[in-house]
Amino acid sequence: MGKDEVMESGGAAGEFAAKDYTDPPPAPLIDAAELGSWSLYRAVIAEFIATLLFLYITVATVIGYKHQTDASASGADAACGGVGVLGIAWAFGGMIFVLVYCTAGISGGHINPAVTFGLFLARKVSLVRAILYIVAQCLGAICGVGLVKAFQSAYFNRYGGGANTLAAGYSKGTGLAAEIIGTFVLVYTVFSATDPKRNARDSHVPVLAPLPIGFAVFMVHLATIPITGTGINPARSIGAAVIFNNEKAWHNHWIFWVGPFVGAAIAAFYHQYILRAGAIKALGSFRSNA
């Protein structure tokens, strides 16, 4: 049988498999037994270390770029130096790609409280796991930025500590909207790239999940660095704010929590109840039981 014939015959089989696919059961809201499992603590440690490494590399890149483009420190041609905004975006997107690839099989590779929150709303993780992940991510971020300050103490405070701030000329509403939309793009990509039904249906199309997730982070940074410096990750924002600990870093800091959490919630609702027709299934179940 030729390749084209295999693909044609595979269409019916793929359709049959998709119809027979059953979603995994939702994670329990509170799973006390999970607290006695080593796999949970191993995953929490993985989230801590991954977020630490993420913040260390990315904030060090931001500080290095600002130093390289500082005319008073690097000379008259400083404006042409450094990795540029494109390089910063690559640092964030590339590190997410690497770290999600490394930790996906252990913790799911969240590395972001907004991602964890979105997956919790979709009942992919329990409340216990979500809380521990978010705490580990925030602590990891603080430690990661702390390493940057320890190694680059001469430049850390001078160049703003890599903290997220609302750029001059932009309103709070614009900054909030940028964070909501940017996080929506990221969390929507996470849901799409890790959707087990899609993997079962499109098994003939190999997709490395960390790759689209890393590209989503990269693209969002290109769009929102000029507005907010790009948060879309509350751990990233609070890590830099705690270590820099400057009034400017805490001013409008709420944007970098509210925006990502709202964007993640919208993405979870959109994927689960619109694209996956969760609302229609729930309504059909209600009618059949009536």
Side-chain angles (χ1 to χ4, degrees), residues 7 19 27 31 57 63 73-74 88 100 114 124 136 159 170 184 214 226 230 241 243 249 251 282:
M7 292 298 293
K19 287 180 179 179
D31 186 4
I57 294 296
I63 299 298
S74 304
I88 293 174
V100 171
K124 304 294 185 183
Y159 298 118
Y170 291 98
F184 174 87
T230 308
I243 299 300
H251 188 58

Side-chain angles (χ1 to χ4, degrees), residues 65-82:
Y65 164 70
K66 290 187 176 181
H67 173 63
Q68 291 166 341
T69 55
D70 183 355
S72 64
S74 304
D77 296 330
C80 299

Side-chain angles (χ1 to χ4, degrees), residues 8-289:
E8 288 174 6
S9 64
E15 184 180 353
F16 179 80
K19 287 180 179 179
D20 283 357
Y21 174 81
T22 302
D23 280 320
L29 182 62
I30 298 176
D31 186 4
E34 199 172 26
L35 291 171
S37 171
W38 163 243
S39 63
L40 171 62
Y41 298 104
R42 181 184 64 174
V44 169
I45 293 170
E47 286 292 309
F48 172 83
I49 296 298
T51 314
L52 183 155
L53 295 174
F54 176 61
L55 266 293
Y56 171 71
I57 294 296
T58 55
V59 172
T61 301
V62 171
I63 299 298
Y65 164 70
K66 290 187 176 181
H67 173 63
Q68 291 166 341
T69 55
D70 183 355
S72 64
S74 304
D77 296 330
C80 299
V83 297
V85 172
L86 187 65
I88 293 174
W90 272 121
F92 279 89
M95 278 305 291
I96 285 296
F97 167 73
V98 170
L99 293 171
V100 171
Y101 178 83
C102 291
T103 60
I106 301 171
S107 66
H110 297 191
I111 321 173
N112 184 336
V115 171
T116 300
F117 180 66
L119 293 173
F120 165 70
L121 292 181
R123 301 293 300 277
K124 304 294 185 183
V125 295
S126 68
L127 179 61
V128 171
R129 184 175 291 263
I131 291 174
L132 291 178
Y133 273 23
I134 291 173
V135 171
Q137 290 156 359
C138 291
L139 291 176
I142 292 170
C143 292
V145 181
L147 287 178
V148 177
K149 184 175 182 178
F151 296 155
Q152 301 192 32
S153 57
Y155 306 128
F156 185 83
N157 289 326
R158 180 176 180 178
Y159 298 118
N164 287 121
T165 57
L166 185 62
Y170 291 98
S171 67
K172 296 177 184 178
T174 300
L176 180 62
E179 288 294 308
I180 291 174
I181 296 171
T183 311
F184 174 87
V185 171
L186 170 59
V187 178
Y188 172 40
T189 303
V190 170
F191 273 105
S192 298
T194 60
D195 187 347
K197 183 175 183 179
R198 175 176 178 171
N199 293 337
R201 182 191 62 207
D202 300 333
S203 58
H204 62 286
V205 183
V207 176
L208 183 62
L211 186 60
I213 295 171
F215 263 106
V217 172
F218 168 69
M219 298 303 293
V220 170
H221 273 76
L222 289 181
T224 56
I225 281 177
I227 304 173
T228 62
T230 308
I232 68 171
N233 184 336
R236 178 261 185 272
S237 299
I238 198 170
V242 166
I243 299 300
F244 185 46
N245 198 27
N246 182 282
E247 182 181 354
K248 185 178 181 181
W250 292 112
H251 188 58
N252 295 324
H253 183 74
W254 62 271
I255 290 174
F256 302 103
W257 284 85
V258 174
F261 274 54
V262 171
I266 295 172
F269 176 83
Y270 176 63
H271 185 268
Q272 293 296 105
Y273 293 100
I274 305 299
L275 298 185
R276 293 295 302 275
I280 295 176
K281 292 176 183 176
L283 180 60
S285 177
F286 173 79
R287 287 177 173 173
S288 65
N289 292 333

